[in-house]
Amino acid sequence: VLVEKGVMGNALVFIGLAEMVGYLALAETLQGSGREAGDFGVGLEYLEGKSEEEIKKVKYQEIMNGRLAMLAFGGIVTQSVFYDVGFPYF
């Protein structure tokens, strides 16, 4: 669809910007800033007032949720390719 509309350049720009922000955060981490990997400073208000054990549990749950989402997306893509039917399948 993007190719037909001629907006692949826009997609390239937005993805490139996201990659640059990610690289800047990675470079900051590698220089010893003390920043944890993947910590973009978003959603920290949900961790306020929680114990260290609760924070550890929330981080674990986020990782597992992300992994489950990646598996689900992989299943959607695989099913779309095998049966030549686009998502949302109806």
Side-chain angles (χ1 to χ4, degrees):
V1 174
L2 291 177
V3 175
E4 292 171 2
K5 302 285 184 188
V7 293
M8 285 298 285
N10 294 346
L12 179 64
V13 168
F14 291 126
I15 292 170
L17 287 172
E19 288 293 326
M20 285 192 294
V21 169
Y23 174 76
L24 293 174
L26 176 65
E28 185 179 303
T29 301
L30 292 176
Q31 292 174 356
S33 67
R35 180 184 162 278
E36 289 187 34
D39 181 12
F40 291 98
V42 178
L44 296 177
E45 64 271 5
Y46 299 112
L47 300 178
E48 291 177 6
K50 295 193 180 204
S51 69
E52 195 64 36
E53 189 63 35
E54 289 173 324
I55 291 174
K56 195 174 181 181
K57 181 180 177 185
V58 168
K59 287 182 178 181
Y60 175 75
Q61 289 173 337
E62 280 293 319
I63 289 172
M64 298 313 286
N65 183 38
R67 290 178 180 170
L68 181 62
M70 287 187 282
L71 281 171
F73 182 75
I76 289 170
V77 170
T78 302
Q79 191 171 4
S80 294
V81 169
F82 280 160
Y83 298 110
D84 198 26
V85 177
F87 185 74
Y89 307 123
F90 53 81

